[in-house]
Amino acid sequence: MSTPTAFAISPDSGEHWSKEGAWQVADGIHRIPLPLPMDGLKAVNVYVIETDDGLTLIDGGWSIQVARDLLERCLKDVGYGFGDIRRFLVTHVHRDHFTLATVLGHEYGADVALGRGEEPALDLLNDPHLDQNPFLDVLRSAGAHELAELWAAGDGETPDLSMWTYPDTWLEGDLQIPVGARTIDAVHTPGHTPGHYVYADKAAELLFAGDHVLPTITPSIGFTVPPTPDPLGDFMASLTKVRGLPDLQILPAHGPVAPSSHARVDELLAFHDRRLELSLAALANGPRTGFSVAHDLGWTRHEKAYEELDEFSQGMASMETKAHLELLVARGQATREETPGGVLFSAPGSSA
């Protein structure tokens, strides 16, 4: 699900949102898209907030050399360098948001803030006994055993722990953070990850939305370790929470600047309501795993068949479908049973 492709043009640049540059989105705020080494997402937006005491950055990007070099060049274009960064407010622990922030933070003494809910993920990555990709068990739980084997075969790297150091500041609950003359509301929005935060500058009518509210795509759900019991339920509750804020301009992590957080939240909630209906209907003929039900659904904004997806995307689709089924269980519309083949979900009254 997405807005039309024309909306990939970002109003701050007049170009495709991923075009290189330091684009002014508001007085004292620039958006810098940094490249990602993957096909699906072209870039991640890092936001630079100027203050009299230096810079606060919302997210940091992926710690790859091309992204680091581009961030340095774009900061120089607006009169700054890495040494001017005082703080990173990271939206969540995924590598395209956190890893360059933590690397630069430690090199230059900038404070790195992250939601406390991400601590279990960092504990897992820093566990000296970690001997396999932790997502493999999540895939198996979704019934995607062959995919787990494929992921394992292609996963020869161990985490570079210099990119996964703990933050300087843990954020807990909802709180206000002074950023120069601004007051930023840090709002805990679990779902995409357990410790996800959005940052609202209500006075400027801006929402630094991370991956929680994306204008052209829907964020992945269920792609987190350690797994949480009901990530989609958490995500939809967090969307409702953000809907309770004033209607703000969306400054997303991926995609163009967009005009209305209320309108986009409504679209995202409607999208997942529809997916829940389809997931429930898929259980009509008997118990199924998330992997099995995922084959019945369309994927990406182009509604591709599951078989058209690459192996990585198939795995993410299986995890996300399992998240929909878990929410049906939480709502009393389905039941679940742990089996060696994965979690089997059933609808009351369905044929076995």
Side-chain angles (χ1 to χ4, degrees):
M1 127 172 228
S2 70
T3 53
T5 305
F7 287 92
I9 303 300
S10 195
D12 52 340
S13 64
E15 305 278 356
H16 190 276
W17 70 270
S18 63
K19 185 175 176 61
E20 295 180 6
W23 308 107
Q24 185 170 324
V25 296
D27 186 34
I29 300 176
H30 289 84
R31 179 180 64 86
I32 300 177
L34 297 181
L36 299 176
M38 57 176 67
D39 293 332
L41 291 174
K42 293 181 180 296
V44 59
N45 291 319
V46 170
Y47 294 91
V48 179
I49 305 175
E50 301 175 62
T51 79
D52 291 340
D53 185 43
L55 304 177
T56 290
L57 270 60
I58 309 291
D59 284 335
W62 191 320
S63 186
I64 52 176
Q65 193 62 46
V66 64
R68 179 182 175 128
D69 292 346
L70 181 58
L71 179 59
E72 185 172 35
R73 190 161 68 247
C74 289
L75 287 176
K76 184 177 180 182
D77 288 344
V78 290
Y80 297 100
F82 288 153
D84 294 306
I85 302 172
R86 300 290 176 263
R87 175 165 49 189
F88 288 92
L89 296 176
V90 181
T91 59
H92 62 296
V93 78
H94 285 165
R95 56 191 175 182
D96 51 328
H97 301 257
F98 178 69
T99 55
L100 188 52
T102 194
V103 167
L104 291 176
H106 281 81
E107 284 186 31
Y108 289 91
D111 184 270
V112 177
L114 183 70
R116 175 70 77 176
E118 311 294 37
E119 189 171 17
L122 287 176
D123 288 343
L124 184 62
L125 286 165
N126 283 277
D127 183 349
H129 304 296
L130 181 68
D131 59 359
Q132 70 165 11
N133 182 334
F135 284 103
L136 301 184
D137 284 340
V138 184
L139 283 171
R140 295 181 185 115
S141 176
H145 291 268
E146 290 185 11
L147 280 174
E149 296 307 312
L150 290 171
W151 279 32
D155 185 47
E157 296 183 16
T158 56
D160 179 350
L161 295 183
S162 70
M163 299 181 186
W164 298 104
T165 54
Y166 289 86
D168 305 287
T169 301
W170 289 113
L171 303 177
E172 299 188 64
D174 297 344
L175 64 157
Q176 291 189 325
I177 301 174
V179 178
R182 303 173 187 271
T183 298
I184 301 290
D185 282 86
V187 182
H188 184 210
T189 52
H192 179 61
T193 67
H196 193 289
Y197 269 78
V198 301
Y199 301 100
D201 183 345
K202 293 178 184 176
E205 300 183 336
L206 301 173
L207 179 69
F208 299 94
D211 280 2
H212 184 58
V213 183
L214 298 175
T216 61
I217 57 175
T218 58
S220 63
I221 304 296
F223 183 62
T224 188
V225 289
T228 55
D230 184 16
L232 181 60
D234 294 340
F235 178 65
M236 295 180 76
S238 295
L239 285 174
T240 302
K241 184 178 183 180
V242 169
R243 186 62 168 80
L245 298 173
D247 194 13
L248 304 173
Q249 188 177 34
I250 305 169
L251 305 185
H254 309 285
V257 173
S260 171
S261 57
H262 284 183
R264 185 56 179 157
V265 164
D266 290 346
E267 290 175 354
L268 289 167
L269 287 169
F271 170 78
H272 284 291
D273 282 338
R274 178 59 179 155
R275 299 291 278 194
L276 287 163
E277 292 174 3
L278 294 170
S279 298
L280 182 59
L283 301 180
N285 293 322
R288 298 177 70 180
T289 63
F291 170 73
S292 172
V293 172
H295 286 72
D296 289 7
L297 306 175
W299 295 98
T300 78
R301 64 189 179 193
H302 303 296
E303 288 289 308
K304 288 184 177 181
Y306 182 88
E307 293 78 4
E308 296 179 62
L309 302 177
D310 60 61
E311 292 166 5
F312 179 72
S313 298
Q314 286 182 346
M316 292 185 70
S318 299
M319 295 180 215
E320 182 160 317
T321 304
K322 181 175 181 289
H324 281 83
L325 296 167
E326 295 285 11
L327 180 53
L328 291 174
V329 173
R331 291 180 172 181
Q333 295 176 276
T335 58
R336 71 193 302 280
E337 178 188 1
E338 302 268 356
T339 78
V343 179
L344 279 177
F345 296 89
S346 303
S350 62
S351 56

